[in-house]
Amino acid sequence: MPPNPQLNANGELQHLLSIEGLPREILIRILDTAESFVGVTEREVKKVPLLRGKSVFNLFFESSTRTRTTFEIAAKRLSADVINLNIAASSQSKGESLLDTVANLSAMQADMFVVRHASSGAPFLIARHVKPHEHVINAGDGRHAHPTQGLLDLYTIRHYKKDFRELTVAVVGDVLHSRVARSLIHGLTTLGVPEVRAIGPQTLMPAGVEALGVRVYHDVREGLRDADVVVMLRLQNERMSGALLPSAQEFFMTYGLTAERLALAKPAAIVMHPGPMNRGVEIDSSVADGPHSVILPQVTFGIAVRMAVMSMVAGH
Amino acid sequence: MRTLIRNGRLVDPASGRDAPGDLLLAEGRIAALDGDAKGASADRVIDATGLVVAPGLIDLSARLREPGYEFKATLESEMDAAVAGGITSLACPPDTDPPLDEPGLVDMLRRRAKALARARVYPIGALTAKLEGERLTEMAQLAAAGCVAFSQANTPITNTQVLWRALQYAATFGYAVWLRAEDRWLAQGGVAHDGEVATRLGLAGIPVFAETVALATLLELVRSTGTRLHVCRLSSAAGVALMRAARREGLPISCDVGIHHVHLSDRDLGYFDAQCRLEPPLRSQRDREALAKALADGVIDCAVSDHTPVDDDHKQLPFGEAEPGATGLELLLPLALKWGAEQKLGLAQTLARVTSSPARILGVGAGRIAAQAPGDVIVFDPAADFRIVPEALRSQGKNSPFLGHELAGRVRATLVAGKVVFEQP
């Protein structure tokens, strides 16, 4: 295995490309740093000058409103200049290659690239070609990773549950296509969560997923039993009916999170979802809006986590 | 023109011979060896002291990229690369643009290759028009133009009715059919071996049964049609097991493996190394071991370079978008030697997999060191290292998973039909 491209020679975070391969200490440091930023986001003046004068380019080769917005807010609260590029609609359609696009933006004195791309591994390719002072943050690549989402999920779990080493975490739904699930699973296993469960039909489980350190359940009731944390994954519209699943209704019937199913989990269980939610497909409204749900706090923590990551890769 | 190669270690994989000796080439053939060659008068004498003298390599799959993809490679660059790699005969698959599906194209390719006077080129004709898997090509006319077999390259026929008829038609005339075993539906969208690594990297997988389902279908059709089938680029342990059983049964089949697949596995993808994006995909370590072993025990007949030059624009992309393939002409010999050493095989046995075995499948007289055999001979230093860097490769394809590696085995001279076509000190 080549050296981890995310870390510099001193073992510090140079880019954030994936949670996999990050040492426990770095994960903890990111969460601790995020905690200090939660205070900032609650102040009246929500800015700190850590990235003053730096340019952050949001490179979204795949459209996204929510993630891009939270990165933008995070960068602005660090006093950076933010440039949003919706590349799906510009140069790529003119045939410019990914690396040419990046080289051009680099010539405009970028300091940080926040990259979302439909192809797994695209941020790794970019990270291999940027200048030494430039940093790459993966904002979601194909099915591979969504590390800031994984980190904000970890932050949320730590906020409500404290000790990772006593938890049972159930991840429910389309694990096959989910970068959120992969990032969270790596984070949970790195932080010592003893039981991580992946729940879903065989058609939505990737081959050999057990090797990531999860137990696979096809029966949702069995999988939810005594869970401390339930993470529902988003089911993409185009996958709701076809060869993977017959219909959204049947998915809800067999795997959707209802109050009755949630009752099988621990009484103090929390329910998470990376958003955007499909109510009535993955999750019942009564659960999404119910007392166990921490879905909105996840969004708030997400900004602090992204501030932490940006400031850390920039060397703070 | 008479050429004498003196004092070399003469290795003939066909007979198993591995002993010092002299070799005389005249009139395009091997005229004499050992005592008969000693002291013979010659126009040219090559001193092979400390070097191996062996038949030129025969590569059953090398893409020369003509016609259609001259920006990736030209016949000149790739024929240079072939002889620099010690390859004296090569078969080229029909996936050019347009595909080799009509006699005129085949004829042109053969003429162009002949004019360059380097390695011998054997075109493989398309089995179906445009490789679309719908309409049979004019196989008899293509054969007359010089096609030695028929293939679908990397686009398997999905319609089993067409596949059956194509095999029947080819069998009627005794033509060999060379096919990869891949179920296109099961492989659809996949870019890597469906296993732990693909799951970790979030890459869409191609399951092993994409190979075995298609292979079982092919073998069943061979049982019925009696077609001479050569299975190209076996990739899995399960595929090897099916081939082993089918050979024991006595079916008229043979098979090959890409030389990269006996050395690399999906672990080598590392952090999305697009140089390891190959077709078929690199599979698990266990599959790699089974392939390497089957090549040694003969269930797999031969190793091929599966040479596929890809330009940077099509390789410097996210893994799943990168064009599959690796350059191979100049790596086949060193990688075969490395495999042979790992399997603890003698040099004659090792070289058999890239000389006499593929010669038998191709139905040509080359691939051996014997009186009256074609004068296709190489002289190489099995111990000389060279570093795989783009500048060191003559091929226009600089794409290799082995970039930066040191490999042993350097060709010093290549002779085709008795003529020196490549030489380096």
Side-chain angles (χ1 to χ4, degrees), chain A residues 20-72:
Chain A
E20 187 187 12
L22 288 187
R24 184 172 180 280
E25 307 74 67
I26 287 189
L27 291 186
I28 298 287
R29 208 179 320 143
I30 295 171
L31 300 185
D32 290 346
T33 309
E35 202 163 348
S36 70
F37 284 128
V38 168
V40 172
T41 62
E42 284 164 356
R43 289 203 309 238
E44 199 161 329
V45 179
K46 299 184 178 62
K47 276 204 176 193
V48 286
L50 290 172
L51 293 188
R52 181 177 290 155
K54 303 278 183 193
S55 301
V56 174
F57 281 65
N58 272 335
L59 286 181
F60 278 63
F61 295 89
E62 192 182 67
S63 60
S64 150
T65 311
R66 180 183 306 230
T67 304
R68 204 209 62 214
T69 307
T70 54
F71 268 108
E72 184 174 350

Short mmCIF file of all heavy atoms in Angstrom, two decimals, chain A residues 20-72:
data_model
loop_
_atom_site.label_atom_id
_atom_site.label_comp_id
_atom_site.label_asym_id
_atom_site.label_seq_id
_atom_site.Cartn_x
_atom_site.Cartn_y
_atom_site.Cartn_z
N GLU A 20 -11.22 6.49 6.26
CA GLU A 20 -10.41 5.28 6.31
C GLU A 20 -8.93 5.65 6.33
O GLU A 20 -8.46 6.46 5.54
CB GLU A 20 -10.68 4.40 5.09
CG GLU A 20 -9.98 3.07 5.22
CD GLU A 20 -10.08 2.24 3.96
OE1 GLU A 20 -10.50 2.76 2.92
OE2 GLU A 20 -9.72 1.06 4.04
N GLY A 21 -8.21 5.03 7.22
CA GLY A 21 -6.77 5.26 7.27
C GLY A 21 -6.38 6.43 8.16
O GLY A 21 -5.20 6.67 8.36
N LEU A 22 -7.35 7.17 8.67
CA LEU A 22 -6.99 8.25 9.59
C LEU A 22 -6.84 7.67 10.99
O LEU A 22 -7.70 6.93 11.46
CB LEU A 22 -8.07 9.33 9.61
CG LEU A 22 -8.18 10.22 8.38
CD1 LEU A 22 -9.18 11.34 8.65
CD2 LEU A 22 -6.83 10.80 7.98
N PRO A 23 -5.75 8.01 11.68
CA PRO A 23 -5.57 7.49 13.02
C PRO A 23 -6.62 8.06 13.98
O PRO A 23 -7.14 9.15 13.77
CB PRO A 23 -4.17 7.97 13.41
CG PRO A 23 -3.61 8.70 12.25
CD PRO A 23 -4.65 8.84 11.21
N ARG A 24 -6.87 7.30 15.02
CA ARG A 24 -7.86 7.67 16.03
C ARG A 24 -7.60 9.07 16.58
O ARG A 24 -8.52 9.87 16.74
CB ARG A 24 -7.78 6.63 17.15
CG ARG A 24 -8.78 6.79 18.22
CD ARG A 24 -8.77 5.61 19.20
NE ARG A 24 -9.77 5.85 20.22
CZ ARG A 24 -9.59 6.64 21.26
NH1 ARG A 24 -8.44 7.24 21.43
NH2 ARG A 24 -10.56 6.84 22.13
N GLU A 25 -6.30 9.38 16.84
CA GLU A 25 -5.98 10.67 17.45
C GLU A 25 -6.42 11.83 16.56
O GLU A 25 -6.86 12.87 17.05
CB GLU A 25 -4.46 10.80 17.70
CG GLU A 25 -3.81 9.66 18.47
CD GLU A 25 -3.66 8.40 17.63
OE1 GLU A 25 -2.86 8.43 16.68
OE2 GLU A 25 -4.36 7.40 17.92
N ILE A 26 -6.27 11.66 15.25
CA ILE A 26 -6.66 12.75 14.35
C ILE A 26 -8.18 12.91 14.36
O ILE A 26 -8.70 14.02 14.41
CB ILE A 26 -6.11 12.50 12.93
CG1 ILE A 26 -4.60 12.75 12.93
CG2 ILE A 26 -6.81 13.41 11.91
CD1 ILE A 26 -3.95 12.77 11.58
N LEU A 27 -8.90 11.78 14.37
CA LEU A 27 -10.36 11.87 14.42
C LEU A 27 -10.80 12.60 15.69
O LEU A 27 -11.64 13.50 15.64
CB LEU A 27 -10.98 10.46 14.42
CG LEU A 27 -10.87 9.65 13.12
CD1 LEU A 27 -11.67 8.36 13.24
CD2 LEU A 27 -11.37 10.46 11.93
N ILE A 28 -10.19 12.23 16.81
CA ILE A 28 -10.56 12.87 18.09
C ILE A 28 -10.23 14.36 18.04
O ILE A 28 -11.01 15.20 18.49
CB ILE A 28 -9.79 12.20 19.27
CG1 ILE A 28 -10.17 10.71 19.37
CG2 ILE A 28 -10.04 12.94 20.57
CD1 ILE A 28 -11.54 10.44 19.92
N ARG A 29 -9.06 14.68 17.46
CA ARG A 29 -8.68 16.08 17.41
C ARG A 29 -9.67 16.89 16.56
O ARG A 29 -10.01 18.02 16.88
CB ARG A 29 -7.25 16.24 16.86
CG ARG A 29 -6.59 17.50 17.40
CD ARG A 29 -5.17 17.69 16.90
NE ARG A 29 -4.42 16.44 16.84
CZ ARG A 29 -3.54 16.17 15.88
NH1 ARG A 29 -3.31 17.03 14.92
NH2 ARG A 29 -2.88 15.03 15.89
N ILE A 30 -10.14 16.28 15.46
CA ILE A 30 -11.14 16.98 14.62
C ILE A 30 -12.42 17.22 15.44
O ILE A 30 -12.98 18.32 15.44
CB ILE A 30 -11.46 16.18 13.34
CG1 ILE A 30 -10.23 16.08 12.44
CG2 ILE A 30 -12.60 16.85 12.57
CD1 ILE A 30 -10.40 15.13 11.25
N LEU A 31 -12.85 16.19 16.16
CA LEU A 31 -14.09 16.34 16.93
C LEU A 31 -13.92 17.38 18.04
O LEU A 31 -14.81 18.19 18.28
CB LEU A 31 -14.51 14.98 17.53
CG LEU A 31 -14.79 13.84 16.53
CD1 LEU A 31 -15.32 12.61 17.25
CD2 LEU A 31 -15.78 14.28 15.45
N ASP A 32 -12.76 17.37 18.68
CA ASP A 32 -12.50 18.36 19.74
C ASP A 32 -12.47 19.78 19.17
O ASP A 32 -13.01 20.71 19.76
CB ASP A 32 -11.17 18.06 20.45
CG ASP A 32 -11.25 16.79 21.29
OD1 ASP A 32 -12.38 16.31 21.54
OD2 ASP A 32 -10.19 16.27 21.70
N THR A 33 -11.80 19.91 18.03
CA THR A 33 -11.74 21.23 17.39
C THR A 33 -13.14 21.69 17.02
O THR A 33 -13.50 22.86 17.21
CB THR A 33 -10.84 21.16 16.14
OG1 THR A 33 -9.59 20.57 16.50
CG2 THR A 33 -10.59 22.54 15.56
N ALA A 34 -13.94 20.76 16.49
CA ALA A 34 -15.31 21.10 16.11
C ALA A 34 -16.08 21.60 17.33
O ALA A 34 -16.86 22.55 17.25
CB ALA A 34 -16.00 19.89 15.49
N GLU A 35 -15.82 20.97 18.44
CA GLU A 35 -16.53 21.35 19.66
C GLU A 35 -16.25 22.81 20.02
O GLU A 35 -17.15 23.55 20.42
CB GLU A 35 -16.10 20.41 20.81
CG GLU A 35 -17.10 20.35 21.92
CD GLU A 35 -16.88 19.13 22.82
OE1 GLU A 35 -16.11 18.22 22.45
OE2 GLU A 35 -17.49 19.11 23.88
N SER A 36 -14.98 23.21 19.81
CA SER A 36 -14.66 24.60 20.13
C SER A 36 -15.34 25.56 19.15
O SER A 36 -15.64 26.70 19.49
CB SER A 36 -13.14 24.80 20.11
OG SER A 36 -12.65 24.71 18.79
N PHE A 37 -15.60 25.08 17.93
CA PHE A 37 -16.27 25.94 16.95
C PHE A 37 -17.78 26.01 17.16
O PHE A 37 -18.42 26.93 16.70
CB PHE A 37 -15.96 25.48 15.53
CG PHE A 37 -14.58 25.85 15.06
CD1 PHE A 37 -13.71 24.89 14.54
CD2 PHE A 37 -14.14 27.17 15.14
CE1 PHE A 37 -12.45 25.24 14.11
CE2 PHE A 37 -12.87 27.52 14.71
CZ PHE A 37 -12.02 26.54 14.20
N VAL A 38 -18.35 25.00 17.82
CA VAL A 38 -19.79 25.06 18.09
C VAL A 38 -20.08 26.33 18.88
O VAL A 38 -21.05 27.03 18.63
CB VAL A 38 -20.27 23.80 18.84
CG1 VAL A 38 -21.69 23.99 19.36
CG2 VAL A 38 -20.22 22.59 17.92
N GLY A 39 -19.19 26.67 19.81
CA GLY A 39 -19.33 27.90 20.58
C GLY A 39 -19.35 29.13 19.67
O GLY A 39 -20.19 30.01 19.81
N VAL A 40 -18.46 29.13 18.70
CA VAL A 40 -18.38 30.27 17.77
C VAL A 40 -19.69 30.45 17.02
O VAL A 40 -20.21 31.55 16.87
CB VAL A 40 -17.22 30.06 16.77
CG1 VAL A 40 -17.25 31.13 15.68
CG2 VAL A 40 -15.89 30.06 17.49
N THR A 41 -20.23 29.31 16.56
CA THR A 41 -21.44 29.41 15.73
C THR A 41 -22.64 29.87 16.55
O THR A 41 -23.65 30.25 16.00
CB THR A 41 -21.77 28.06 15.05
OG1 THR A 41 -22.05 27.10 16.08
CG2 THR A 41 -20.64 27.57 14.19
N GLU A 42 -22.50 29.82 17.87
CA GLU A 42 -23.62 30.26 18.70
C GLU A 42 -23.47 31.72 19.15
O GLU A 42 -24.36 32.30 19.76
CB GLU A 42 -23.75 29.34 19.93
CG GLU A 42 -24.38 28.00 19.55
CD GLU A 42 -24.18 26.92 20.60
OE1 GLU A 42 -23.48 27.17 21.61
OE2 GLU A 42 -24.73 25.82 20.40
N ARG A 43 -22.29 32.31 18.85
CA ARG A 43 -22.07 33.71 19.25
C ARG A 43 -22.83 34.66 18.34
O ARG A 43 -23.27 34.29 17.26
CB ARG A 43 -20.57 34.03 19.15
CG ARG A 43 -19.72 33.37 20.21
CD ARG A 43 -18.42 34.12 20.41
NE ARG A 43 -17.71 34.36 19.15
CZ ARG A 43 -16.45 33.92 18.93
NH1 ARG A 43 -15.81 33.24 19.86
NH2 ARG A 43 -15.86 34.21 17.79
N GLU A 44 -22.88 35.91 18.75
CA GLU A 44 -23.55 36.89 17.90
C GLU A 44 -22.70 37.18 16.67
O GLU A 44 -23.18 37.21 15.55
CB GLU A 44 -23.83 38.16 18.68
CG GLU A 44 -24.90 38.99 17.99
CD GLU A 44 -25.51 39.99 18.97
OE1 GLU A 44 -25.57 39.70 20.18
OE2 GLU A 44 -25.89 41.05 18.51
N VAL A 45 -21.40 37.36 16.90
CA VAL A 45 -20.48 37.53 15.76
C VAL A 45 -19.87 36.15 15.50
O VAL A 45 -19.07 35.64 16.28
CB VAL A 45 -19.36 38.55 16.07
CG1 VAL A 45 -18.42 38.67 14.89
CG2 VAL A 45 -19.99 39.89 16.39
N LYS A 46 -20.31 35.53 14.39
CA LYS A 46 -20.00 34.12 14.18
C LYS A 46 -18.72 33.93 13.37
O LYS A 46 -18.61 33.01 12.60
CB LYS A 46 -21.17 33.43 13.46
CG LYS A 46 -22.46 33.47 14.23
CD LYS A 46 -23.55 32.68 13.52
CE LYS A 46 -24.85 32.66 14.29
NZ LYS A 46 -25.45 34.00 14.48
N LYS A 47 -17.75 34.83 13.48
CA LYS A 47 -16.56 34.72 12.64
C LYS A 47 -15.28 34.63 13.45
O LYS A 47 -15.14 35.27 14.48
CB LYS A 47 -16.47 35.94 11.72
CG LYS A 47 -17.30 35.78 10.46
CD LYS A 47 -16.77 36.67 9.35
CE LYS A 47 -17.56 36.42 8.08
NZ LYS A 47 -16.93 36.99 6.91
N VAL A 48 -14.37 33.81 12.92
CA VAL A 48 -13.01 33.80 13.45
C VAL A 48 -12.06 34.01 12.27
O VAL A 48 -12.41 33.67 11.13
CB VAL A 48 -12.66 32.47 14.17
CG1 VAL A 48 -13.34 32.39 15.51
CG2 VAL A 48 -13.01 31.29 13.31
N PRO A 49 -10.89 34.59 12.49
CA PRO A 49 -10.06 34.99 11.34
C PRO A 49 -9.07 33.93 10.86
O PRO A 49 -8.12 34.25 10.16
CB PRO A 49 -9.31 36.20 11.91
CG PRO A 49 -9.19 35.91 13.37
CD PRO A 49 -10.36 35.06 13.77
N LEU A 50 -9.31 32.65 11.15
CA LEU A 50 -8.29 31.63 10.87
C LEU A 50 -7.93 31.50 9.39
O LEU A 50 -6.81 31.16 9.05
CB LEU A 50 -8.76 30.27 11.41
CG LEU A 50 -8.76 30.16 12.93
CD1 LEU A 50 -9.41 28.85 13.36
CD2 LEU A 50 -7.34 30.26 13.48
N LEU A 51 -8.89 31.70 8.51
CA LEU A 51 -8.59 31.55 7.08
C LEU A 51 -8.67 32.90 6.35
O LEU A 51 -8.91 32.94 5.14
CB LEU A 51 -9.53 30.54 6.43
CG LEU A 51 -9.42 29.07 6.86
CD1 LEU A 51 -10.30 28.20 5.98
CD2 LEU A 51 -7.99 28.56 6.81
N ARG A 52 -8.42 33.98 7.06
CA ARG A 52 -8.50 35.30 6.42
C ARG A 52 -7.49 35.37 5.28
O ARG A 52 -6.34 34.97 5.41
CB ARG A 52 -8.21 36.40 7.44
CG ARG A 52 -8.31 37.80 6.82
CD ARG A 52 -8.09 38.88 7.84
NE ARG A 52 -9.21 38.94 8.78
CZ ARG A 52 -9.10 39.42 10.02
NH1 ARG A 52 -7.95 39.83 10.48
NH2 ARG A 52 -10.15 39.47 10.81
N GLY A 53 -7.98 35.86 4.14
CA GLY A 53 -7.09 35.99 2.99
C GLY A 53 -6.93 34.72 2.18
O GLY A 53 -6.28 34.71 1.14
N LYS A 54 -7.53 33.63 2.64
CA LYS A 54 -7.42 32.37 1.89
C LYS A 54 -8.63 32.22 0.96
O LYS A 54 -9.72 32.69 1.27
CB LYS A 54 -7.40 31.18 2.84
CG LYS A 54 -6.30 31.23 3.89
CD LYS A 54 -4.99 30.75 3.32
CE LYS A 54 -3.92 30.74 4.40
NZ LYS A 54 -2.59 30.57 3.86
N SER A 55 -8.38 31.54 -0.17
CA SER A 55 -9.47 31.30 -1.12
C SER A 55 -9.87 29.84 -1.11
O SER A 55 -9.05 28.96 -1.32
CB SER A 55 -9.02 31.66 -2.54
OG SER A 55 -8.64 33.01 -2.60
N VAL A 56 -11.14 29.63 -0.86
CA VAL A 56 -11.68 28.27 -0.87
C VAL A 56 -12.57 28.12 -2.09
O VAL A 56 -13.49 28.91 -2.30
CB VAL A 56 -12.51 28.00 0.42
CG1 VAL A 56 -13.19 26.64 0.34
CG2 VAL A 56 -11.62 28.10 1.65
N PHE A 57 -12.23 27.14 -2.92
CA PHE A 57 -13.03 26.88 -4.12
C PHE A 57 -13.94 25.69 -3.86
O PHE A 57 -13.46 24.59 -3.58
CB PHE A 57 -12.14 26.58 -5.33
CG PHE A 57 -11.53 27.80 -5.96
CD1 PHE A 57 -10.61 28.57 -5.25
CD2 PHE A 57 -11.86 28.18 -7.25
CE1 PHE A 57 -10.04 29.70 -5.83
CE2 PHE A 57 -11.29 29.31 -7.83
CZ PHE A 57 -10.38 30.07 -7.13
N ASN A 58 -15.23 25.92 -3.96
CA ASN A 58 -16.19 24.81 -3.88
C ASN A 58 -16.37 24.24 -5.28
O ASN A 58 -16.98 24.86 -6.13
CB ASN A 58 -17.54 25.30 -3.37
CG ASN A 58 -17.61 25.29 -1.87
OD1 ASN A 58 -16.90 24.52 -1.21
ND2 ASN A 58 -18.46 26.12 -1.30
N LEU A 59 -15.78 23.08 -5.52
CA LEU A 59 -15.82 22.47 -6.86
C LEU A 59 -16.85 21.35 -6.85
O LEU A 59 -16.55 20.24 -6.44
CB LEU A 59 -14.48 21.83 -7.18
CG LEU A 59 -13.31 22.70 -7.52
CD1 LEU A 59 -12.09 21.83 -7.81
CD2 LEU A 59 -13.67 23.48 -8.75
N PHE A 60 -18.02 21.66 -7.32
CA PHE A 60 -19.07 20.64 -7.28
C PHE A 60 -19.36 20.11 -8.68
O PHE A 60 -20.06 20.73 -9.46
CB PHE A 60 -20.31 21.18 -6.57
CG PHE A 60 -20.16 21.09 -5.07
CD1 PHE A 60 -19.16 21.81 -4.42
CD2 PHE A 60 -20.95 20.25 -4.32
CE1 PHE A 60 -18.97 21.70 -3.05
CE2 PHE A 60 -20.77 20.12 -2.95
CZ PHE A 60 -19.79 20.85 -2.32
N PHE A 61 -18.75 18.96 -8.95
CA PHE A 61 -18.96 18.31 -10.25
C PHE A 61 -20.29 17.57 -10.26
O PHE A 61 -20.70 17.04 -11.27
CB PHE A 61 -17.82 17.34 -10.54
CG PHE A 61 -16.48 18.00 -10.71
CD1 PHE A 61 -15.66 18.22 -9.62
CD2 PHE A 61 -16.06 18.44 -11.96
CE1 PHE A 61 -14.43 18.85 -9.77
CE2 PHE A 61 -14.84 19.06 -12.11
CZ PHE A 61 -14.02 19.27 -11.01
N GLU A 62 -20.88 17.46 -9.09
CA GLU A 62 -22.18 16.82 -8.95
C GLU A 62 -22.99 17.83 -8.16
O GLU A 62 -22.48 18.40 -7.20
CB GLU A 62 -22.00 15.53 -8.16
CG GLU A 62 -23.18 14.60 -8.15
CD GLU A 62 -22.87 13.36 -7.28
OE1 GLU A 62 -22.75 13.53 -6.05
OE2 GLU A 62 -22.75 12.26 -7.82
N SER A 63 -24.24 18.04 -8.53
CA SER A 63 -24.96 19.12 -7.87
C SER A 63 -25.30 18.76 -6.43
O SER A 63 -25.47 17.59 -6.08
CB SER A 63 -26.22 19.45 -8.66
OG SER A 63 -27.03 18.31 -8.72
N SER A 64 -25.36 19.78 -5.62
CA SER A 64 -25.67 19.62 -4.21
C SER A 64 -26.01 21.01 -3.71
O SER A 64 -25.37 21.98 -4.09
CB SER A 64 -24.46 19.10 -3.46
OG SER A 64 -24.47 19.57 -2.13
N THR A 65 -27.02 21.13 -2.91
CA THR A 65 -27.33 22.43 -2.33
C THR A 65 -26.87 22.43 -0.89
O THR A 65 -26.12 23.29 -0.45
CB THR A 65 -28.83 22.70 -2.39
OG1 THR A 65 -29.27 22.41 -3.71
CG2 THR A 65 -29.12 24.16 -2.06
N ARG A 66 -27.27 21.40 -0.17
CA ARG A 66 -27.05 21.38 1.26
C ARG A 66 -25.56 21.33 1.63
O ARG A 66 -25.07 22.18 2.36
CB ARG A 66 -27.75 20.16 1.83
CG ARG A 66 -27.60 20.03 3.31
CD ARG A 66 -28.26 18.78 3.75
NE ARG A 66 -29.64 18.74 3.29
CZ ARG A 66 -30.66 18.47 4.08
NH1 ARG A 66 -30.45 18.22 5.34
NH2 ARG A 66 -31.88 18.44 3.61
N THR A 67 -24.86 20.36 1.10
CA THR A 67 -23.46 20.21 1.47
C THR A 67 -22.67 21.44 1.04
O THR A 67 -21.85 21.96 1.79
CB THR A 67 -22.87 18.94 0.85
OG1 THR A 67 -23.66 17.84 1.26
CG2 THR A 67 -21.44 18.71 1.29
N ARG A 68 -22.94 21.93 -0.16
CA ARG A 68 -22.20 23.08 -0.65
C ARG A 68 -22.45 24.29 0.24
O ARG A 68 -21.53 25.04 0.58
CB ARG A 68 -22.62 23.40 -2.09
CG ARG A 68 -21.56 24.14 -2.87
CD ARG A 68 -22.18 25.02 -3.93
NE ARG A 68 -23.02 26.05 -3.31
CZ ARG A 68 -24.12 26.52 -3.86
NH1 ARG A 68 -24.55 26.07 -5.02
NH2 ARG A 68 -24.84 27.45 -3.24
N THR A 69 -23.71 24.46 0.64
CA THR A 69 -24.05 25.59 1.50
C THR A 69 -23.34 25.50 2.84
O THR A 69 -22.80 26.49 3.33
CB THR A 69 -25.57 25.64 1.72
OG1 THR A 69 -26.20 25.61 0.44
CG2 THR A 69 -25.98 26.89 2.46
N THR A 70 -23.33 24.31 3.43
CA THR A 70 -22.69 24.22 4.75
C THR A 70 -21.18 24.44 4.64
O THR A 70 -20.58 25.04 5.53
CB THR A 70 -22.97 22.86 5.43
OG1 THR A 70 -22.59 21.82 4.55
CG2 THR A 70 -24.43 22.72 5.78
N PHE A 71 -20.56 23.99 3.56
CA PHE A 71 -19.14 24.27 3.37
C PHE A 71 -18.92 25.78 3.20
O PHE A 71 -17.96 26.35 3.71
CB PHE A 71 -18.58 23.53 2.14
CG PHE A 71 -18.00 22.19 2.49
CD1 PHE A 71 -18.65 21.02 2.14
CD2 PHE A 71 -16.79 22.08 3.17
CE1 PHE A 71 -18.13 19.78 2.46
CE2 PHE A 71 -16.25 20.85 3.49
CZ PHE A 71 -16.92 19.70 3.13
N GLU A 72 -19.83 26.42 2.47
CA GLU A 72 -19.70 27.85 2.23
C GLU A 72 -19.82 28.62 3.55
O GLU A 72 -19.01 29.51 3.85
CB GLU A 72 -20.79 28.28 1.24
CG GLU A 72 -20.66 29.74 0.86
CD GLU A 72 -21.65 30.14 -0.23
OE1 GLU A 72 -22.30 29.25 -0.82
OE2 GLU A 72 -21.77 31.35 -0.49
#
